[in-house]
Amino acid sequence: MKNKGKTEEMKALKSRHGTASMILKWTLTILFSTVVRWLLIYFDFGEVFKRRVEISSPITSWFRVEECITLSQLGLSPYSGDVCHQPPLIVEMFKLLPSKWTVPFFVMTDLAIGIVLSKLCQCYTASQLSAQDSEKKEYAADTKSIWIKENSIVPFIVLNLYLLNPFTILTCVAQSTNIINNFVISLLLFSMSKGYCSMASICVAFVSYISLYPIMLIVPVILSVKKVRVKKGFFILVNS
């Protein structure tokens, strides 16, 4: 009994140590990603990348948004020519946002995308782990090495793949409005995986308002709502 108690205590200690280590890694990744983005913006690399069509198209260009805001403030319609391609709500949102908060907005939104994607991966891994636990009796004995582990590092890998992706970093530095679109889509996918019907519906409506093509996501949303238990209200990301 004593040996069994010691074994369980050691397992609990290792689990706590592993959790603390993973939290530290997540924190360092997020901090490093933030610093890289801020340094590139601080040294005016954003002005270079804003003009690169590979990173920011005329539809998602921050220069076009600034022109839309200027025309609107002068009492002119930004949609009278071919300058403004952003929907009115996006233009109004940036009009209300103080200029000093523009850069933090893009950086924080980009970081949020990485966190939401990692949470999405975490949710999917948990569902696969649950399915594995219920079916592992039917698995072959020599397949144990490829089983999904309880403390999977896949969500952490996803976080790194997004936040440290050079193209992602440059898109953020160029302040491409495509980041808003990506954030809403990532939030939509996460809501679908968790069965949050209200949030998924709001996300698919908003992202379809920004761009027409994501309207195709209505079908997956409807199917996911049928499969996943619907939870009332909104969710708290840190508790998921």
Side-chain angles (χ1 to χ4, degrees), residues 7 46 54 57 62 71 105 121 157 162 173 199 216:
T7 303
E54 302 92 341
S57 69
W62 178 246
L71 290 172
F105 170 80
C121 182
I157 294 174
Y162 182 83
V173 172
M199 178 62 77
M216 295 183 292

Side-chain angles (χ1 to χ4, degrees), residues 3-239:
N3 291 334
K4 186 177 180 181
K6 287 182 179 180
T7 303
E8 291 179 354
E9 187 178 346
M10 287 295 294
K11 286 183 178 180
L13 185 62
K14 286 182 179 180
S15 177
R16 287 196 296 269
H17 178 73
T19 302
S21 176
M22 186 57 66
I23 291 174
L24 178 61
K25 290 178 180 178
W26 278 56
T27 304
L28 290 176
T29 298
I30 294 172
L31 287 176
F32 179 75
S33 304
T34 306
V35 170
V36 169
R37 285 162 171 78
W38 274 105
L39 286 176
L40 289 173
I41 294 171
Y42 179 78
F43 288 107
D44 291 331
F45 282 97
E47 298 301 318
V48 177
F49 297 128
K50 284 177 185 177
R51 304 179 187 279
R52 302 298 304 180
V53 294
E54 302 92 341
I55 299 170
S56 181
S57 69
I59 297 176
T60 62
S61 172
W62 178 246
F63 286 135
R64 295 298 182 95
V65 176
E66 289 180 320
E67 291 179 11
C68 292
I69 294 173
T70 302
L71 290 172
S72 180
Q73 290 174 341
L74 292 174
L76 302 174
S77 173
Y79 301 100
S80 58
D82 61 348
V83 173
C84 188
H85 299 282
Q86 296 295 331
L89 284 180
I90 299 297
V91 176
E92 290 298 321
M93 180 187 73
F94 283 115
K95 278 178 63 178
L96 296 174
L97 186 69
S99 58
K100 65 180 180 180
W101 288 104
T102 302
V103 171
F105 170 80
F106 279 98
V107 173
M108 296 303 294
T109 304
D110 205 30
L111 295 175
I113 295 172
I115 294 172
V116 172
L117 288 176
S118 63
K119 286 289 183 178
L120 170 63
C121 182
Q122 196 174 49
C123 179
Y124 178 76
T125 304
S127 66
Q128 292 298 103
L129 185 63
S130 177
Q132 176 182 273
D133 290 340
S134 61
E135 300 172 359
K136 63 183 179 182
K137 292 181 180 179
E138 303 174 5
Y139 295 167
D142 57 349
T143 61
K144 194 170 183 178
S145 60
I146 60 173
W147 287 5
I148 301 173
K149 304 298 188 295
E150 188 173 353
N151 296 321
S152 175
I153 63 169
V154 176
F156 178 68
I157 294 174
V158 170
L159 181 73
N160 280 271
L161 286 176
Y162 182 83
L163 293 183
L164 302 180
N165 187 313
F167 186 77
T168 302
I169 294 173
L170 296 183
T171 302
C172 176
V173 172
Q175 296 176 222
S176 171
T177 56
N178 198 43
I179 287 179
I180 301 173
N181 192 64
N182 293 341
F183 173 69
V184 180
I185 290 178
S186 63
L187 204 58
L188 167 62
L189 295 175
F190 179 78
S191 302
M192 288 169 57
S193 68
K194 298 291 286 185
Y196 294 113
C197 181
S198 300
M199 178 62 77
S201 301
I202 292 172
C203 288
V204 75
F206 187 69
V207 77
S208 300
Y209 171 75
I210 298 174
S211 177
L212 179 62
Y213 298 109
I215 199 171
M216 295 183 292
L217 294 172
I218 289 178
V219 176
V221 168
I222 295 173
L223 294 176
S224 68
V225 167
K226 289 184 178 180
K227 291 182 179 179
V228 184
R229 182 171 61 89
V230 176
K231 298 182 180 180
K232 295 182 179 180
F234 293 85
F235 65 89
I236 301 175
L237 189 61
V238 294
N239 290 333

